[in-house]
Amino acid sequence: RLKAALFTATGVSRSMVMTCNIRNEVLSYLKDYPDFAVRKFAGMIRRSVRRARNLKPFSAPARNYNFTAAVIGDSESALESAQALADAGIDVFLFGSREKPLEDVRKHPNLLAFVGSRTLGVSGSLGAFQIRVAVAGGEQQFQAGTVIVGETLRGRVPYLEGLDGTRGRDVTASLQKADAPGIPFIYPCMTSMAGLFVADPPGIAVSSRQKGDAAAAMAAAVMPRGPRQHKGFTVTVDKDRCRGCGRCLAVCPYRAITMQPNDIGGWFAVVDEALCKGCGNCISVCPSSAADSPFRDQMFLEKTLEEILVQ
């Protein structure tokens, strides 16, 4: 009976959490007065559900999302990825790789192929990638929500931090390691950059078409139906405390951190809350305690109390 009441309350409250002291209010009566204990428990659940209905959700950051997919390269797996995404109703940009300009490819109403183009660099993040492309005798910048790299890789993808042509760190495409903490698990075709996939992952004994379809499925899966939001635990950086050392940028596996110039000619870290997964890697390496979770600091608690108490 206790379990049934608990499950009923959980369903009614739609997974909102209320903390109650069952030990003092119920369990002390359970042995000698079981019926009374059950009534007490049911009353406590009813009160909790009423309080839960008055709770307001925490604000969730949202960013506009680009719904176009970009495929780089004209290998068999890359073309299969582009075709599968186009068949699924997703607009697709198809570019050539850095070494090989794009040749003429099959036509599709959802596929825009830039014949003769070469990709010079990729920057940005999930939902807001920028692709620098040499095409028609000049350079252009295109926006995409997700990117598939179709070249044959050996576990690393060249990735540019900025659009000025400076080389950033490579993005790994195979991160599973035994007994290695702080490294996210990824599936074939995934990389350490959210939203960046490879159409021809190494070490997978399937056909190029199957690899291309797998990459397309993963790219389509990250495409939302509206602005993307993140409601989990995230990290923020105190601008005044940050030294701009870049340690957090180096250890973030989700590419959620960027460096911005401050007012005195230096740099400070900024966390994109829509990308941050709250893993805490940046908190552990920050020498000035500038990185912390807003869900446990004093300011967050004060704002939460203000939202609850001030109606």
Side-chain angles (χ1 to χ4, degrees):
R1 295 172 65 180
L2 291 175
K3 289 183 179 179
L6 180 60
F7 292 153
T8 301
T10 303
V12 172
S13 62
R14 298 186 184 277
S15 300
M16 302 203 68
V17 177
M18 297 298 301
T19 302
C20 301
N21 193 336
I22 299 178
R23 180 183 297 275
N24 289 341
E25 293 194 35
V26 176
L27 296 185
S28 58
Y29 300 101
L30 187 58
K31 181 179 179 180
D32 298 324
Y33 308 99
D35 293 337
F36 178 70
V38 170
R39 290 196 299 272
K40 289 272 291 183
F41 181 72
M44 183 179 62
I45 292 298
R46 286 193 295 270
R47 295 192 301 273
S48 299
V49 171
R50 285 197 298 268
R51 291 196 296 268
R53 286 171 175 165
N54 294 325
L55 291 177
K56 295 182 179 180
F58 294 131
S59 61
R63 279 183 21 184
N64 291 330
Y65 201 104
N66 190 299
F67 299 97
T68 302
V71 179
I72 300 173
D74 59 358
S75 64
E76 182 180 0
S77 57
L79 295 180
E80 182 65 24
S81 293
Q83 180 74 32
L85 289 171
D87 289 341
I90 296 175
D91 292 330
V92 180
F93 290 153
L94 183 59
F95 306 111
S97 63
R98 181 187 292 268
E99 292 77 16
K100 182 184 178 183
L102 182 66
E103 299 178 355
D104 195 13
V105 296
R106 68 189 98 173
K107 300 297 188 295
H108 193 287
N110 295 329
L111 177 61
L112 181 57
F114 292 83
V115 177
S117 63
R118 291 187 303 109
T119 300
L120 302 178
V122 179
S123 64
S125 58
L126 175 63
F129 282 105
Q130 295 86 42
I131 301 98
R132 281 197 312 123
V133 179
V135 60
E139 289 189 12
Q140 294 187 35
Q141 179 179 332
F142 296 86
Q143 310 292 325
T146 182
V147 176
I148 296 178
V149 180
E151 300 172 333
T152 301
L153 302 169
R154 294 295 180 265
R156 305 191 77 82
V157 184
Y159 178 82
L160 296 181
E161 293 289 349
L163 295 177
D164 56 358
T166 57
R167 179 65 182 270
R169 61 174 178 167
D170 290 339
V171 178
T172 54
S174 55
L175 292 185
Q176 300 93 320
K177 294 182 180 179
D179 302 323
I183 300 179
F185 178 86
I186 62 173
Y187 293 97
C189 299
M190 293 177 62
T191 70
S192 57
M193 161 64 86
L196 181 63
F197 304 93
V198 293
D200 194 4
I204 306 297
V206 298
S207 68
S208 296
R209 295 192 61 180
Q210 288 176 309
K211 291 180 181 180
D213 287 337
M218 290 188 175
V222 302
M223 286 289 189
R225 300 182 182 274
R228 56 198 174 97
Q229 295 182 333
H230 187 279
K231 298 183 179 180
F233 292 98
T234 59
V235 173
T236 59
V237 176
D238 188 333
K239 177 181 177 181
D240 297 328
R241 287 187 178 185
C242 181
R243 302 177 185 177
C245 66
R247 289 182 174 89
C248 55
L249 177 66
V251 301
C252 178
Y254 302 105
R255 315 291 290 190
I257 300 176
T258 57
M259 303 301 293
Q260 303 291 334
N262 58 23
D263 298 332
I264 57 175
W267 300 86
F268 69 96
V270 176
V271 178
D272 185 342
E273 293 184 354
L275 294 178
C276 177
K277 302 296 188 299
C279 66
N281 284 356
C282 56
I283 298 176
S284 65
V285 300
C286 181
S288 58
S289 299
D292 200 357
S293 171
F295 292 91
R296 64 184 183 190
D297 62 14
Q298 184 67 26
M299 182 180 297
F300 176 81
L301 295 177
E302 292 176 356
K303 288 185 178 181
T304 299
L305 290 174
E306 182 179 353
E307 288 288 334
I308 294 175
L309 299 177
V310 180
Q311 303 293 333

